[in-house]
Amino acid sequence: MSLAWKFILTKGAVALCILLTNAAAPAGSSSSEEFYGNLVAQPSRLARSIKKHGMVPIDLWDDKSFNFEPFHSWVINGSIYMRNVSRNYPLSFPCGVWVNHNYKFVFIRNRKAASTTVTDNFDKCHYGNADPKLCIEVASKASLIERGIDPAMMWRDYFVFTTSRNPWARAGSSYDYCSTKWARTDGACRQPAFSSFCRDPSILGKISNLFHCFDKVGMYHDYYHTEPVAPCITTPEGLPALDYIIRYENLSSDLPEAVRLINKRRDPSLPPLPEPKIYWKKKGQAARQHEESGIDAHKAALVGHGDKYHQCGMQCVRDIYYYFKVDFELFQIPLPASAPEDGK
Ligand SMILES: *[C@@H]1O[C@H](CO)[C@@H](O)[C@H](O)[C@H]1NC(C)=O
Ligand SMILES: *[C@@H]1O[C@H](CO)[C@@H](O)[C@H](O)[C@H]1NC(C)=O
Ligand SMILES: *[C@@H]1O[C@H](CO)[C@@H](O)[C@H](O)[C@H]1NC(C)=O
């Protein structure tokens, strides 16, 4: 292909993206408040049934194989040796991979993306009264070997699913959530400004560790709540390692469909999984405030974090976009060029 053609095609693709982005908001009438509300409510375009390209490397989810050292040296490089480190750090904690060997599914838990709503529909196997057929357990190399199951075969044959959430909304949710877990919130443990968080999302982990703001949650908590989800749901090449994505924004239709697909594939001697119960398990303060101001519960849960970006503006939108770029690209959510300038 000639360079000129490539140039024209690229320009065409960019123009199309801009058109599509603008089309997402009602033309002309959109206030900046609506713009930011729509921005954070956009679901992943990669959704529901998708082509699985392979597995998430076992070293990222088996807690005995997981290597914390790259993350530790990132912390040390930045804070002790004053080296120029990238904002994004190596994975700070093993991915949350859960499995049920009767219904043959794998569920990957992503933080701040309604994963508790999904897992609450299944008992955890370590609970005393758990139904051994229905319950889910953390997958590990040792427990798979014990069952004579090859991890790659499991990943290939089981129904592998996860939840996704708009990364701008997820970042807003992490920002609210982490500080609520701190035992102290005064002095050096004050919550930093949202704009500071956007510039460097690891600021929460840095503050809470340096000043010992947390009590129970531990040193990794604020880091693993503010990292991109892509490494835990893709192959090493960055391709989906999933059969299905439940969108936070479409939980009430995507979750029952996931259960229907698991039931369809199940061993016929097993009873069907019951209809899932849907409720927002850990509804954050942003959603609650919108609900109190009279917006219906479902919409409130989606647009709540728009306010944060409305106040901060496009700088925060861009800062979060580049920090979570792997997620935005995987979910095919574009960065808008600008916000409407209506002063609202
Ligand atoms: C830490 O710094 C050393 C020396 O510059 C470098 O080799 C290493 O890759 C860095 N590690 C991380 C995780 O940034
Ligand atoms: C630090 O690294 C970033 C890329 O990670 C680079 O853009 C920037 O110029 C570097 N700054 C210095 C002072 O070396
Ligand atoms: C997904 O949710 C969005 C936002 O609430 C809604 O506009 C859309 O119709 C939903 N799509 C499906 C397929 O459920």
Side-chain angles (χ1 to χ4, degrees):
M1 209 186 315
S2 82
L3 264 179
W5 264 109
K6 273 192 188 158
F7 180 77
I8 289 166
L9 288 180
T10 313
K11 287 285 168 194
V14 170
L16 185 62
C17 279
I18 291 170
L19 273 175
L20 287 173
T21 312
N22 289 342
S29 69
S30 153
S31 71
S32 62
E33 192 177 356
E34 282 169 328
F35 169 84
Y36 290 108
N38 290 338
L39 189 75
V40 303
Q42 277 179 83
S44 169
R45 288 204 202 173
L46 187 70
R48 294 203 164 204
S49 296
I50 54 196
K51 180 173 160 44
K52 183 165 62 186
H53 290 265
M55 74 185 290
V56 176
I58 192 161
D59 291 351
L60 298 188
W61 50 269
D62 175 56
D63 65 347
K64 295 257 175 0
S65 322
F66 186 82
N67 183 6
F68 285 93
E69 279 319 302
F71 171 68
H72 292 164
S73 54
W74 176 87
V75 173
I76 292 168
N77 278 358
S79 62
I80 297 175
Y81 297 122
M82 307 303 279
R83 286 183 186 131
N84 183 17
V85 293
S86 75
R87 282 199 300 165
N88 286 98
Y89 41 90
L91 207 59
S92 65
F93 211 70
C95 304
V97 173
W98 292 71
V99 62
N100 176 303
H101 294 291
N102 299 305
Y103 290 87
K104 300 196 191 303
F105 66 80
V106 168
F107 178 64
I108 306 172
R109 295 195 69 174
N110 293 318
R111 324 268 169 192
K112 311 318 298 162
S115 77
T116 309
T117 301
V118 176
T119 53
D120 274 3
N121 280 286
F122 307 97
D123 284 332
K124 293 184 177 152
C125 297
H126 59 264
Y127 293 172
N129 56 355
D131 179 337
K133 276 206 173 66
L134 277 177
C135 70
I136 53 173
E137 63 187 48
V138 174
S140 71
K141 209 184 248 175
S143 68
L144 292 176
I145 288 172
E146 207 179 283
R147 288 172 180 270
I149 294 173
D150 176 66
M153 294 294 124
M154 172 186 82
W155 213 280
R156 190 195 66 190
D157 297 337
Y158 284 23
F159 181 77
V160 182
F161 69 120
T162 194
T163 57
S164 71
R165 183 176 187 181
N166 175 292
W168 283 298
R170 182 170 168 264
S173 175
S174 302
Y175 169 76
D176 286 348
Y177 176 77
C178 287
S179 318
T180 65
K181 293 285 159 190
W182 293 358
R184 296 197 297 117
T185 52
D186 57 345
C189 295
R190 284 189 311 278
Q191 188 185 36
F194 185 62
S195 56
S196 307
F197 169 81
C198 292
R199 201 153 48 207
D200 176 14
S202 72
I203 194 171
L204 298 176
K206 286 172 182 159
I207 292 177
S208 66
N209 280 286
L210 190 56
F211 296 108
H212 208 89
C213 306
F214 59 81
D215 192 2
K216 299 195 187 70
V217 293
M219 71 162 281
Y220 302 101
H221 180 271
D222 296 349
Y223 289 104
Y224 63 66
H225 277 86
T226 45
E227 53 196 5
V229 297
C232 290
I233 59 176
T234 57
T235 66
E237 297 76 36
L239 298 169
L242 301 161
D243 294 294
Y244 192 92
I245 290 182
I246 296 168
R247 294 160 296 177
Y248 178 99
E249 297 79 9
N250 294 83
L251 190 64
S252 56
S253 55
D254 290 358
L255 174 55
E257 175 64 8
V259 169
R260 200 185 64 78
L261 290 172
I262 293 170
N263 281 336
K264 208 169 116 187
R265 301 160 55 120
R266 81 184 192 281
D267 176 337
S269 69
L270 290 165
L273 293 175
E275 265 300 285
K277 290 191 206 60
I278 296 163
Y279 50 95
W280 304 97
K281 178 65 181 175
K282 296 178 188 161
K283 191 183 284 180
Q285 79 185 39
R288 284 196 310 269
Q289 275 165 12
H290 272 79
E291 247 181 87
E292 282 154 17
S293 73
I295 295 180
D296 89 89
H298 179 67
K299 183 135 192 266
L302 293 189
V303 302
H305 296 290
D307 286 355
K308 294 184 173 65
Y309 295 95
H310 188 213
Q311 276 163 30
C312 173
M314 282 303 290
Q315 186 61 45
C316 284
V317 171
R318 280 189 294 268
D319 284 345
I320 291 296
Y321 179 85
Y322 290 113
Y323 182 81
F324 289 99
K325 197 156 190 276
V326 279
D327 292 354
F328 281 104
E329 286 179 348
L330 185 66
F331 298 155
Q332 298 158 38
I333 299 176
L335 174 67
S338 62
E341 289 178 38
D342 61 0
K344 274 180 262 169

